[in-house]
Amino acid sequence: CMIKEGKVWGQTMPIIMNPSVEVHHINVELGGYCSKHAHQSKFNAFYVLSGELEIKRWKDYKLVDSTWLKKGDWSIVPPGEYHQFMAHQETEALELYWAELNHDDIMRENVGGI
């Protein structure tokens, strides 16, 4: 049995939660919206199952990009970017989170040897 959690904007229910990925089933009421927020290291994606969800993304240059998602549409917000969603209809969606490893994160002081 999965735990549903009430939110100001509707409900969320975790489907998968582990250290590398999270998937939540969300139901957003008409006119419901989340806080304007950013994630330090996680990507945040939205996939609409039914309804209509607007994703606002605040860019470095003070511009707000707005993407309207309908059934079958999806959008990805990168880490560090402020964003917010709003439902323009009763909306059912999947919300996904993940972090990507930087494969070039090694800092060498020498090259090794025999």
Side-chain angles (χ1 to χ4, degrees):
C1 179
M2 297 304 273
I3 297 172
K4 278 188 182 179
E5 183 179 336
K7 296 283 191 173
V8 172
W9 44 261
Q11 288 186 331
T12 183
M13 184 174 66
I15 297 170
I16 298 171
M17 290 185 68
N18 66 49
S20 60
V21 68
E22 291 183 28
V23 178
H24 297 257
H25 181 266
I26 63 173
N27 289 294
V28 189
E29 296 177 14
L30 172 64
Y33 61 94
C34 71
S35 64
K36 176 183 173 184
H37 65 281
H39 302 281
Q40 292 178 19
S41 59
K42 295 188 290 189
F43 285 82
N44 194 182
F46 303 90
Y47 177 81
V48 174
L49 299 168
S50 67
E52 191 171 291
L53 199 63
E54 178 183 8
I55 310 297
K56 291 183 179 180
R57 297 168 56 184
W58 280 260
K59 302 296 185 172
D60 291 338
Y61 38 87
K62 307 284 187 223
L63 179 69
V64 180
D65 283 348
S66 181
T67 303
W68 290 57
L69 305 176
K70 294 183 180 183
K71 182 179 179 178
D73 292 339
W74 57 280
S75 182
I76 299 173
V77 179
E81 189 171 271
Y82 278 89
H83 59 284
Q84 181 179 49
F85 64 73
M86 174 183 273
H88 294 284
Q89 297 177 7
E90 293 285 326
T91 300
E92 182 180 2
L94 296 176
E95 184 174 18
L96 300 91
Y97 301 95
W98 72 92
E100 290 185 2
L101 294 175
N102 178 355
H103 298 285
D104 296 321
D105 72 343
I106 191 167
M107 297 182 298
R108 298 181 196 279
E109 287 192 16
N110 61 44
V111 295
I114 298 179

